């Protein structure tokens, strides 16, 4: 994204990224595998959703398909890793 480096624009982008992170966190099984935050796909999902929200604040056509795919993949990782961490030893 090429945004103006004004305080107002940077505040908008920061707010959108914070909101995106909250949405991603609520959409995945973060509690099962909190280390997912170190996965580059987690960061990419937040950025991609933030960018989508920047251009369409209401997501009038729904979440982009790429976000849905990333969330599904992140959930699979959380569930698999969480099962490994919490399963029988």
């Amino acid at each position: 994204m090429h945004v103006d480096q004004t305080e107002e624009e940077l505040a908008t982008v920061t707010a959108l990224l914070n909101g995106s992170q909250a949405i991603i966190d609520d959409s995945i099984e973060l509690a099962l595998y909190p280390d997912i935050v170190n996965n580059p796909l987690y960061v990419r999902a937040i950025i991609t959703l933030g960018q989508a929200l920047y251009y369409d604040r209401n997501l009038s056509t729904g979440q982009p398909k790429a976000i849905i795919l990333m969330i599904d993949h992140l959930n699979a990782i959380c569930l698999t890793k969480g099962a490994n961490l919490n399963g029988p030893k």
Side-chain angles (χ1 to χ4, degrees):
M1 292 179 9
H2 298 285
V3 297
D4 295 332
Q5 297 292 315
T6 64
E7 286 185 34
E8 180 181 318
E9 198 66 15
L10 292 175
T12 298
V13 170
T14 299
L16 290 172
L17 289 173
N18 288 337
S20 296
Q21 182 176 7
I23 291 168
I24 298 298
D25 288 353
D26 286 345
S27 299
I28 62 174
E29 298 291 341
L30 185 64
L32 289 178
Y33 186 62
D35 288 344
I36 196 70
V37 299
N38 298 319
N39 187 304
L41 184 59
Y42 172 80
V43 174
R44 173 55 45 206
I46 293 168
I47 292 169
T48 303
L49 182 55
Q51 185 175 21
L53 287 167
Y54 183 82
Y55 291 109
D56 181 6
R57 303 288 162 89
N58 296 320
L59 293 179
S60 59
T61 60
Q63 284 189 8
K65 291 180 182 178
I67 295 295
I68 295 167
L69 178 66
M70 286 186 240
I71 288 171
D72 287 346
H73 192 75
L74 289 167
N75 256 328
I77 293 169
C78 288
L79 292 170
T80 301
K81 299 286 187 174
N84 290 341
L85 291 173
N86 299 319
K89 300 196 186 230

